[in-house]
């Protein structure tokens, strides 16, 4: 626990026993595979590479949709 | 050791090696929190997803909390989203399977085997807690974060953190008491 927090947290006897049981979990923490870091970096590289083209395609699609909307919209006053 | 803030700045300037250092520095706690919320099978995917999200939102990091707090907030949200998705597919039950303690085929002394069995049973019960409560117990009781940091991760007042943590522990105690295994939890 961190400094600044009340030491015993006013724990009930059952809560105190529970935190003792938690020692079992703290003693054997789940460990990530070492290849996790390169995997994350590969993901970042890949996503960064496609981000620009995707943004461009999105902007073009939005512009086309807006243009089509303007063309299809009837000018007011015309029947 | 170069401060996180410098590494963030360098990452924002396009240096991927700086982000790699951030990942290396924080991957252990991110993985542990993810694994304890979603379980070991999905923990790597959640960890990777959390770091990718962090990378893309790095320009939104304001430095009002530590980078670790900010990253754990993303991790927690990513893990809860993963659980929400997982609810759509058949899930493993949190009940204790008879062979739950027999996954390690290596012969071990009796006490080590018993500890291993208790650990696995406790992990299953922890995963039976509702996800919001599970996060609290993981952050406080397993990772030892301060109430202040948990309040930052979960974006709630410290008083709410304490109240919910009390209820979370109470729920877990009830789950353990309703178990055939004797956890020796006094009233």
């Amino acid at each position: 626990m961190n400094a600044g927090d009340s030491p015993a947290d006013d724990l009930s006897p059952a809560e105190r026993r529970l935190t003792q049981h938690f020692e079992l979990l703290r003693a054997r923490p789940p460990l990530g595979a070492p290849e996790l870091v390169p995997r994350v970096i590969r993901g970042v590289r890949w996503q960064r590479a496609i981000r620009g083209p995707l943004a461009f395609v999105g902007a073009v699609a939005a512009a086309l949709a807006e243009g089509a909307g303007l063309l299809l919209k009837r000018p007011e006053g015309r029947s | 050791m170069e401060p996180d803030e410098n590494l963030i700045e360098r990452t924002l300037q396009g240096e991927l090696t700086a982000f790699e250092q951030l990942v290396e520095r924080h991957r252990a706690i991110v993985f542990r929190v993810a694994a304890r919320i979603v379980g070991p099978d999905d923990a790597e995917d959640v960890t990777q997803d959390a770091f990718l999200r962090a990378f893309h939102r790095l320009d939104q990091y304001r430095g009002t909390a530590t980078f670790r707090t900010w990253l754990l907030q993303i991790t927690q949200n990513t893990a809860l989203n993963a659980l929400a998705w997982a609810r759509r597919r058949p899930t493993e039950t949190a009940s204790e399977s008879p062979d739950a303690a027999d996954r390690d085929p290596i012969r071990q002394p009796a006490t080590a085997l018993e500890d291993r069995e208790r650990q696995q049973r406790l992990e299953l019960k922890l995963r039976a807690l509702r996800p919001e409560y599970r996060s609290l117990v993981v952050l406080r009781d397993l990772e030892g974060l301060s109430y202040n940091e948990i309040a930052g991760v979960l974006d709630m007042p410290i008083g709410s953190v304490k109240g919910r943590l009390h209820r979370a522990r109470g729920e877990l105690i009830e789950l353990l008491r309703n178990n055939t295994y004797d956890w020796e939890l006094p009233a």
Side-chain angles (χ1 to χ4, degrees), chain A residues 1-48 51, chain B residues 14 16 19-20 23-24 27 31-32 35-36 44-45 47-48 51-52 55-56 104 112 115-116 118-119 122-123 126 137 140-142 144-148 166 169-170 172-173 176-177 183-187:
Chain A
M1 298 302 141
N2 288 271
D5 294 339
S6 57
D9 273 345
D10 298 327
L11 297 179
S12 69
E15 284 177 318
R16 262 199 297 277
R17 187 79 185 108
L18 180 66
T19 55
Q20 287 170 2
H21 287 313
F22 281 143
E23 187 49 46
L24 283 170
L25 302 187
R26 285 193 292 266
R28 299 178 73 162
L31 302 171
E35 57 266 27
L36 188 68
V37 180
R39 207 175 127 196
V40 168
I41 298 303
R42 272 199 305 276
V44 166
R45 280 210 178 90
W46 180 78
Q47 290 191 0
R48 200 168 61 162
R51 207 179 185 187
Chain B
L16 260 190
F19 188 68
E20 195 170 347
V23 176
E24 185 59 65
R27 77 179 169 97
F31 183 82
R32 286 197 306 271
R36 281 172 167 153
E44 289 219 352
D45 285 345
T47 303
Q48 184 178 16
F51 276 117
L52 290 175
F55 177 79
H56 291 299
D104 189 355
D115 277 357
R116 184 80 183 129
R118 288 163 72 88
Q119 184 205 340
L122 189 55
E123 277 172 355
L126 184 59
V137 171
R140 177 65 184 173
D141 291 331
L142 300 183
L145 266 62
S146 68
Y147 287 125
N148 196 35
H166 180 70
R169 285 174 180 151
L172 185 56
I173 286 167
L176 292 172
R177 277 183 181 148
W183 290 92
E184 298 164 7
L185 291 160

Side-chain angles (χ1 to χ4, degrees), chain B residues 13-86:
Chain B
Q13 288 165 7
E15 276 188 57
L16 260 190
T17 51
F19 188 68
E20 195 170 347
Q21 285 180 63
L22 283 171
V23 176
E24 185 59 65
R25 190 174 290 174
H26 296 284
R27 77 179 169 97
I29 189 169
V30 168
F31 183 82
R32 286 197 306 271
V33 169
R36 281 172 167 153
I37 295 177
V38 299
D41 293 344
D42 296 322
E44 289 219 352
D45 285 345
V46 168
T47 303
Q48 184 178 16
D49 204 12
F51 276 117
L52 290 175
R53 286 177 191 209
F55 177 79
H56 291 299
R57 294 177 194 170
L58 210 51
D59 57 346
Q60 295 168 28
Y61 173 66
R62 296 284 168 259
T64 48
T66 65
F67 177 69
R68 184 176 89 152
T69 301
W70 184 76
L71 184 59
L72 286 177
Q73 187 175 49
I74 293 174
T75 304
Q76 206 259 159
N77 289 336
T78 307
L80 294 187
N81 286 343
L83 283 177
W85 276 102

